[in-house]
Amino acid sequence: MKKWLPILVALAPTYLIRFTIVGIPTTLFELLIYGTVVVAVHRDLGKQQTANSKQLLQQWLIGVGLVGVGAIVGILVSTDLRTALGEAKAFIIDPLLIAWLISSQLDTDDLLNLLGWYLASAAVVSLVSLGGWLANASWAVAGDGRLLGLYGLE
């Protein structure tokens, strides 16, 4: 898992690969997150919880509970339920799952490696953006002159 999580973080731009499963819109990155969570939970079921992991779980429950209440209220007051549910999934559930994976599966020493992979991913996206701009590609630049890079391919 320690070797996979940095790669997962580097694959963040795969959220641009969108499709639907049983009528529910999703992205490749979301499926990678969910698959990683399933594997991590399966691997952790056989391990005994230490006092530190129990304390971390209690701390997480308070924060996640508060965020969950806020998300539920936001969904309930929304005029567009489908959009509200999609935003809750993309902006609340997925980041919480990644944060849990990182905090439960990695040590402090592993965070630099994780950051390196994230920066490598950002560098690739930046180079593609710059290359598209230099090539004067229509997908690379917005009408107001902003660089879109990979995000213009949507």
Side-chain angles (χ1 to χ4, degrees):
M1 191 62 61
K2 286 185 177 196
K3 292 183 180 181
W4 170 247
L5 284 178
I7 296 169
L8 176 68
V9 169
L11 291 173
T14 61
Y15 82 86
L16 293 169
I17 303 171
R18 300 172 185 206
F19 47 90
T20 58
I21 297 177
V22 193
I24 300 171
T26 191
T27 68
L28 178 57
F29 188 55
E30 287 175 343
L31 295 180
L32 290 170
I33 292 169
Y34 303 151
T36 304
V37 167
V38 167
V39 169
V41 168
H42 178 67
R43 288 181 60 188
D44 288 349
L45 285 178
K47 297 179 184 176
Q48 287 192 349
Q49 287 188 338
T50 63
N52 285 343
S53 63
K54 288 181 182 179
Q55 183 181 12
L56 180 65
L57 181 62
Q58 289 172 348
Q59 292 169 347
W60 267 86
L61 287 178
I62 293 168
V64 170
L66 291 172
V67 170
V69 168
I72 291 169
V73 169
I75 291 168
L76 292 176
V77 300
S78 174
T79 56
D80 185 359
L81 182 63
R82 183 172 186 250
T83 300
L85 288 170
E87 288 176 351
K89 177 180 71 159
F91 299 130
I92 296 172
I93 295 170
D94 294 347
L96 284 173
L97 290 175
I98 290 176
W100 172 77
L101 283 167
I102 291 170
S103 65
S104 68
Q105 303 295 318
L106 298 180
D107 299 323
T108 308
D109 299 337
D110 300 323
L111 294 180
L112 273 179
N113 186 31
L114 184 82
L115 180 62
W117 280 86
Y118 182 71
L119 292 175
S121 172
V124 169
V125 171
S126 298
L127 290 173
V128 169
S129 298
L130 184 59
W133 176 71
L134 289 172
N136 203 21
S138 61
W139 53 265
V141 182
D144 60 1
R146 289 177 297 115
L147 284 182
L148 298 174
L150 289 172
Y151 306 102
L153 295 173
E154 292 186 79

